[in-house]
Amino acid sequence: MADPVVDLRLWGKERGLGGARYPVVCHGLDAAAAVRALWRDFLSAGLRRRLAAELGLSESETCSVLEFWAALHDIGKISPSFALQLPMPPEFPADAAEVRIRHDQATNLWLPTGLGVLGYPSRSARSVGRLVAQLLGGHHGRFHSVEGARLMPAHLPSQGLGSVPVWEAERAAMLDVLAAILQPSVPPRLAVEDAVLITGLVVVADWLVSQADFVREQVRKVPAVGDVPSLRRFFKASLSPARQLVRSAGLFRLKLEEGDFGEEFPGFSPNALQADIAAELRRVVTGPGLLMVAAPMGFGKTETALHAARIMGAAAGTSGIFVALPTMATADQMFSRVGRYVQRRSETTASQTLLHGMAWLSPVEEILAKARTAEGIVSDAEARVHSSEWLRGAKRGLLAGVGVGTIDQALLAVLPVRHNALRMFSLAGKTVIIDEVHAFDSYMRKLLRELLGWLGELGVPVVLLSATLPKAIAKELSAAYTGAEVETDFEIPYPGWRYVERGRKSEPRAVSFPVDRRRPVEASLRGVGRGAGKRPDRVPVLQEVLAPVIDGGCAVVICTTVAQAQQTFSGLSEWAARNGITRKLLHARFPSHQRATITEDVLEAFGKPDGSRGRPQRTILVATQVVEQSLDVDFDLVVTDLAPIELLLQRAGRLQRHPGWDDQRPAWADPARGGHRQMVVLTAPDLDLGELPRSWSYIYPRASLIRAHELIRRRDPQPINIPEDVQDLVDRGNPGDFPVLDDDLLTGFAEVELERSARCMIESQTAQRVTIRPIRELASLAGLSEELVDEEQATTRFNADSVRVLPVFIDGSGELRLGHPAGERLPIPERDRLSREEAIAVMRHTIPAPGSLVRDRDENHTLPEPWHALWPLSDLVALPHRVDDEGNVRPARVGRKFLLLDPELGLCDVAETTRLSSESYRKADPGD
């Protein structure tokens, strides 16, 4: 039998090559070279061990097999549908009746037959041959089903694989040539979950070697003949460039120095929780596991998690970390802290990425440079943590050795979106830290349970952090990760931790709480007034409860909605001015640049003391829930709208949080001088729970609000003792998703418990409908692509309906300005595109808003030519503010709403805001 030879005229790449064509077999060998480099330099030791064990081969044999599979990913390009997109010699004819087929589908369709010749079983859906065909057919992000038995020659034309024998002969020749060069074994088995991981590996290899600059270099090296010796030499010559590609992309293994807690965090004396985990965790960790930590706010959970993640990662063989936060703001805050830790402790170069929808606006290089400087690094040679241009590409950021982002980035792995397998692969070699678990609703918890099920099966260590973790939620999360039921009395001590591994019983670890951090919080209820339309009127009661601030100190008022925060800020204006009190306002509906500036000002005023500044006096911050999670701030008095008890306790954590400020507190707030550590909870008018404001029960279940109200009422005047009382309050306020109809906290309100349970059930069932199938139910990879949706349409939040709006000011000449009637002009694009700097300049003026706010938008709310078709402006909702010759500004009209960007209050619904600022520009009355 003659040695196989591939016709090198069968091309795989041609774009950007100046008329040249790059042979498909050469591209396949490039992908194989990239897999070898990724295996050697990027894949974690645990992942390499796992894949070898699951395939029943040695690690070196497994690498060869994966190289071979990656080399085959584009074999479907040897088909009329693909090859004849460009003129080909007459030896490669087309049949007029030929079925059109995508090359990834052709790969998926043909390989069971092709691999069968090499001895791969291909009869059942989960056989090795079928799964390899599926995973390679899924390299463009979507898996296809493999129906029926092996293809017979008579079936080829009807399937689009070519009716003339030359097509089949060339596919067989490529298969034989690659097998001869790469010498792969035939693995005895392959599980669906491991096929998912291998798909991600193939995708990364393909993306790396498809870069135009690399292909242009490789074209010059194409041999004259496609025989085995020539292509073997070509492959060997590709190994070094492929390895350089991996390094240039920033794909490194993260290797952290070993050390005790004090070495990892110098100058930081471990508290009881940190010391206990540092001493005991190593003793109980034998492999991948789940660590759950419950501790009060400000208890150093971030440092605890990083230290634990290193211990757990070493045991499981992972080589990266991903820190998942609930919001973009918390992710932004965490990015620099993690960067400093990695710079201090990494033994090797590491890439770090920030991952959320607006992360591309963040100056990550500047942030990392500051982190290096903070660690005393002044030269590039000493730098350990970097940003990578390649990793900033779409869907690549999660591959970085160090990732910090929103939890959504991880949850997308269990939604039916393109490249969900790549996300799973990206997480598989890391230790995953998930913070603020208590902030998840039933919908997100269901998604989290599905993710934990996958991570547990794939051997990914996970750290869950919570300030208030109800027993019911702790049980369900543990069961999801381990795949087993947990004991009835399962709980996480408060403060304390629990570590679980699959198939092993765990024990809870309670830790002592330092005496100087134990604190009684005097929580009291005050009814708000009745405003128009059942809107709460806080101003009269706020003037009373905030009166101590007149004598000094600072307080925060936390409102449920943005409109209520704006109303409250405005309503306190005259009273505050009369009493010499400074007001600040913070919420999410400011332009991005203004919110960043306000946030910096708030942190400077109320953040952790550093010895360089004094504490503000006679100052009030009016805010929304953004201060609940995003900011490390300290106030002498906390006033908050009624909320679920776990959130009230979270807000209480902002009350006299930092002992370093104690010597500057006013006497009325200092318990050592007879003062009080007080949280005032604003509740229904006259404490009548039947009169709860509608807007509050729209945001939170009424049952949760009533439980919180009653828990505080029954305790008053006794204080809430932190930490002793926290767990009982959290458990009583969070009975789980199922209704508890005999709860004495809800006497007279049993119907609201049914409403709450129904709401939880709807959220959970909705999440179940949108997630991919659980790992134990997958019959094939096609289950990951059922009812595929675009990533922009996939939602990781229940009823998420968020848009970004761009207020623009338009004068009589039609000129568009940003932020203000006299603001900067909207940049004019050159060559139908904006530069990155121009795009950032525009996006700094955008505002996140609920879709309901602009539900009635129409073509008048699209940016005009030439901007409306440009990324990233095409998805923005424009809010045109008309400016007359006298400088009067007319609010943007959206349906029946009038929306105004007020310089002091942010974006306002004019009908919802009682007083608008007039300091910076005049306003005409809304109307036509």
Side-chain angles (χ1 to χ4, degrees):
M1 180 178 176
D3 291 336
V5 178
V6 178
D7 193 321
L8 297 179
R9 293 174 296 179
L10 289 162
W11 58 281
K13 301 285 182 183
E14 57 85 27
R15 186 174 300 172
L17 300 182
R21 301 184 189 182
Y22 192 50
V24 64
V25 69
C26 293
H27 175 62
L29 288 168
D30 290 340
V35 165
R36 182 175 296 186
L38 290 164
W39 182 270
R40 293 180 175 179
D41 298 338
F42 177 64
L43 264 68
S44 67
L47 195 50
R48 296 196 307 273
R49 288 196 301 266
R50 175 194 173 85
L51 291 175
E54 293 296 325
L55 267 64
L57 302 171
S58 69
E59 288 194 19
S60 61
E61 289 173 329
T62 301
C63 181
S64 296
V65 167
L66 299 184
E67 292 171 14
F68 176 58
W69 292 351
L72 291 170
H73 76 278
D74 270 350
I75 200 167
K77 289 183 175 179
I78 304 179
S79 61
S81 296
F82 182 86
L84 297 182
Q85 293 178 95
L86 299 177
M88 290 289 288
E91 300 95 288
F92 300 99
D95 189 320
E98 192 79 54
V99 174
R100 301 289 298 175
I101 188 172
R102 290 172 51 91
H103 75 269
D104 53 328
Q105 292 174 292
T107 294
N108 178 79
L109 186 63
W110 183 80
L111 270 179
T113 298
L115 291 173
V117 176
L118 300 182
Y120 282 71
S122 299
R123 292 194 175 277
S124 70
R126 297 189 70 149
S127 61
V128 178
R130 294 292 186 88
L131 284 174
V132 173
Q134 275 199 316
L135 76 88
L136 295 179
H139 73 271
H140 280 304
R142 178 173 192 161
F143 294 107
H144 312 282
S145 62
V146 180
E147 302 293 346
R150 298 183 191 173
L151 286 173
M152 304 307 292
H155 299 154
L156 299 180
S158 66
Q159 299 294 337
L161 294 173
S163 57
V164 178
V166 65
W167 296 105
E168 178 67 10
E170 287 296 336
R171 286 189 293 267
M174 179 169 166
L175 183 77
D176 291 342
V177 164
L178 294 174
I181 293 170
L182 300 169
Q183 296 291 305
S185 305
V186 177
R189 57 183 180 268
L190 174 63
V192 174
E193 57 268 27
D194 298 299
V196 171
L197 301 181
I198 296 166
T199 302
L201 175 64
V202 172
V203 169
V204 176
D206 181 31
W207 285 357
L208 286 169
V209 299
S210 294
Q211 297 176 84
D213 289 344
F214 175 78
V215 177
R216 280 192 287 267
E217 285 297 316
Q218 291 295 92
V219 165
R220 302 175 185 176
K221 306 173 187 177
V222 173
V225 182
D227 59 9
V228 171
S230 299
L231 288 172
R232 182 179 288 120
R233 287 191 294 271
F234 173 85
F235 173 64
K236 289 181 178 179
S238 298
L239 292 173
S240 179
R243 195 170 192 182
Q244 183 57 42
L245 269 184
V246 171
R247 294 187 62 82
S248 298
L251 299 175
F252 307 105
R253 287 196 193 102
L254 175 68
K255 182 171 175 54
L256 298 171
E257 292 183 51
E258 292 189 7
D260 60 27
F261 194 90
E263 290 171 323
E264 289 203 305
F265 302 98
F268 192 97
S269 179
N271 60 32
L273 174 68
Q274 294 159 343
D276 195 62
I277 286 181
E280 296 296 327
L281 181 61
R282 200 186 306 270
R283 180 180 60 81
V284 297
V285 171
T286 64
L290 171 69
L291 173 67
M292 292 182 282
V293 179
M297 298 63 67
F299 211 61
K301 291 192 292 295
T302 298
E303 291 77 13
T304 303
L306 291 171
H307 181 71
R310 184 187 59 75
I311 295 172
M312 295 165 65
T318 60
S319 58
I321 53 176
F322 177 66
V323 185
L325 288 305
T327 66
M328 289 190 286
T330 48
D332 289 343
Q333 293 288 322
M334 186 64 67
F335 185 75
S336 179
R337 293 176 68 183
V338 173
R340 289 192 61 178
Y341 170 75
V342 174
Q343 176 60 54
R344 184 168 62 246
R345 300 303 298 173
S346 180
E347 294 182 349
T348 56
T349 299
S351 293
Q352 181 170 329
T353 51
L354 179 62
L355 297 162
H356 57 66
M358 301 298 290
W360 65 278
L361 293 174
S362 301
V364 293
E365 297 93 340
E366 180 182 330
I367 296 171
L368 292 176
K370 289 180 179 178
R372 293 193 290 266
T373 301
E375 292 300 318
I377 304 300
V378 295
S379 70
D380 290 341
E382 295 178 283
R384 286 286 182 266
V385 59
H386 301 271
S387 172
S388 160
E389 184 69 32
W390 189 83
L391 288 170
R392 285 199 289 269
K395 305 179 183 179
R396 301 175 192 162
L398 207 55
L399 290 162
V402 182
V404 178
T406 55
I407 182 61
D408 313 76
Q409 301 298 316
L411 294 180
L412 281 169
V414 294
L415 294 179
V417 296
R418 286 189 182 274
H419 294 108
N420 48 13
L422 175 65
R423 290 183 180 274
M424 204 69 76
F425 167 73
S426 302
L427 294 171
K430 295 180 172 62
T431 300
V432 176
I433 300 170
I434 302 176
D435 200 1
E436 307 276 11
V437 175
H438 55 269
F440 296 6
D441 59 17
S442 295
Y443 179 86
M444 289 186 71
R445 286 204 310 274
K446 173 61 178 174
L447 297 187
L448 178 59
R449 292 198 299 272
E450 294 299 330
L451 178 64
L452 289 175
W454 274 86
L455 297 182
E457 185 66 36
L458 296 176
V460 178
V462 178
V463 180
L464 297 180
L465 304 176
S466 180
T468 50
L469 189 62
K471 183 188 300 185
I473 294 175
K475 289 176 62 175
E476 68 181 27
L477 297 180
S478 176
Y481 184 86
T482 60
E485 291 295 324
V486 298
E487 56 266 34
T488 304
D489 60 349
F490 185 94
E491 63 179 347
I492 312 297
Y494 191 87
W497 57 280
R498 191 165 194 158
Y499 178 79
V500 298
E501 288 184 7
R502 289 190 161 206
R504 295 182 62 208
K505 185 175 175 60
S506 67
E507 294 296 332
R509 294 280 306 183
V511 299
S512 61
F513 201 83
V515 174
D516 62 344
R517 297 297 303 276
R518 294 175 182 268
R519 57 186 61 191
V521 173
E522 298 181 13
S524 59
L525 297 170
R526 296 295 301 270
V528 296
R530 291 181 174 86
K534 283 199 170 183
R535 295 172 186 161
D537 181 7
R538 300 168 182 76
V539 173
V541 68
L542 284 177
Q543 291 178 355
E544 180 182 342
V545 300
L546 293 172
V549 179
I550 297 172
D551 296 325
C554 50
V556 63
V557 178
I558 304 175
C559 302
T560 302
T561 69
V562 171
Q564 291 166 5
Q566 292 167 330
Q567 294 164 7
T568 300
F569 182 83
S570 298
L572 290 173
S573 174
E574 294 182 7
W575 173 83
R578 187 169 64 250
N579 290 289
I581 292 175
T582 300
R583 295 169 304 141
K584 299 178 183 292
L585 177 65
L586 177 61
H587 55 71
R589 220 171 289 169
F590 283 105
S592 296
H593 72 94
Q594 189 177 1
R595 178 178 174 181
T597 299
I598 294 171
T599 299
E600 290 178 7
D601 176 57
V602 167
L603 286 171
E604 177 69 20
F606 309 112
K608 184 180 294 187
D610 60 9
S612 65
R613 68 188 192 281
R615 183 167 176 80
Q617 296 297 315
R618 301 160 69 88
T619 303
I620 295 170
L621 174 68
V622 179
T624 57
Q625 297 94 324
V626 293
V627 297
E628 190 177 282
Q629 301 164 355
S630 306
L631 304 177
D632 183 5
V633 285
D634 173 297
F635 299 94
D636 302 311
L637 169 67
V638 170
V639 184
T640 172
D641 284 352
L642 185 64
I645 191 66
E646 68 273 16
L647 300 185
L648 293 180
L649 292 170
Q650 181 83 348
R651 295 170 190 184
R654 272 57 187 164
L655 180 61
Q656 303 186 21
R657 179 183 181 97
H658 297 304
W661 288 126
D662 287 351
D663 61 351
Q664 297 187 43
R665 299 195 193 281
W668 58 265
D670 184 0
R673 291 183 285 168
H676 303 276
R677 188 177 288 114
Q678 190 174 17
M679 177 174 71
V680 177
V681 179
L682 304 181
T683 187
D686 301 324
L687 307 189
D688 180 358
L689 289 170
E691 296 293 320
L692 281 172
R694 285 194 299 260
S695 58
W696 295 3
S697 54
Y698 176 78
I699 302 298
Y700 305 116
R702 282 198 296 164
S704 298
L705 296 177
I706 292 171
R707 281 190 169 102
H709 174 107
E710 283 298 291
L711 286 169
I712 293 172
R713 184 186 68 80
R714 295 182 185 188
R715 180 174 293 271
D716 192 21
Q718 297 300 313
I720 296 173
N721 294 301
I722 298 178
E724 293 87 348
D725 298 333
V726 170
Q727 193 62 50
D728 179 64
L729 289 171
V730 168
D731 288 336
R732 290 218 63 192
N734 291 270
D737 288 353
F738 295 101
V740 180
L741 299 179
D742 59 350
D743 190 345
D744 67 314
L745 294 173
L746 297 178
T747 300
F749 294 97
E751 76 283 357
V752 302
E753 176 65 350
L754 293 174
E755 291 174 3
R756 183 196 67 84
S757 179
R759 179 171 173 168
C760 292
M761 185 178 299
I762 291 170
E763 291 183 13
S764 184
Q765 290 178 346
T766 302
Q768 185 168 346
R769 286 197 302 270
V770 301
T771 55
I772 60 176
R773 294 188 181 185
I775 195 168
R776 62 186 176 276
E777 297 179 11
L778 278 180
S780 74
L781 293 172
L784 275 71
S785 296
E786 293 175 341
E787 300 181 15
L788 200 68
V789 297
D790 291 335
E791 200 163 295
E792 292 75 18
Q793 296 173 321
T795 176
T796 54
R797 316 273 173 143
F798 186 69
N799 276 345
D801 181 23
S802 179
V803 297
R804 295 199 77 85
V805 302
L806 178 67
V808 290
F809 294 81
I810 308 174
D811 61 20
S813 66
E815 191 168 63
L816 276 66
R817 294 181 179 271
L818 299 173
H820 190 276
E824 59 189 280
R825 294 181 178 86
L826 195 63
I828 303 295
E830 294 185 9
R831 300 177 183 176
D832 296 325
R833 66 185 298 272
L834 292 176
S835 68
R836 183 172 184 270
E837 291 72 23
E838 289 172 327
I840 290 174
V842 175
M843 295 300 288
R844 289 176 66 247
H845 291 276
T846 62
I847 302 169
S852 59
L853 193 68
V854 291
R855 180 176 293 123
D856 297 324
R857 60 189 182 274
D858 54 33
E859 64 276 2
N860 295 316
H861 302 104
T862 301
L863 285 172
E865 297 251 7
W867 297 282
H868 75 272
L870 300 178
W871 180 90
L873 310 186
S874 56
D875 293 330
L876 298 179
V877 177
L879 298 180
H881 291 51
R882 301 287 175 180
V883 184
D884 64 21
D885 293 340
E886 286 73 41
N888 297 308
V889 177
R890 191 180 300 276
R893 180 169 184 169
V894 185
R896 300 177 66 181
K897 292 182 182 295
F898 293 91
L899 305 179
L900 178 77
L901 177 60
D902 184 85
E904 186 177 35
L905 300 180
L907 184 66
C908 300
D909 182 342
V910 174
E912 294 285 338
T913 308
T914 57
R915 188 195 67 82
L916 296 172
S917 165
S918 59
E919 297 173 3
S920 298
Y921 53 73
R922 297 179 298 278
K923 292 170 288 297
D925 291 333
D928 292 326

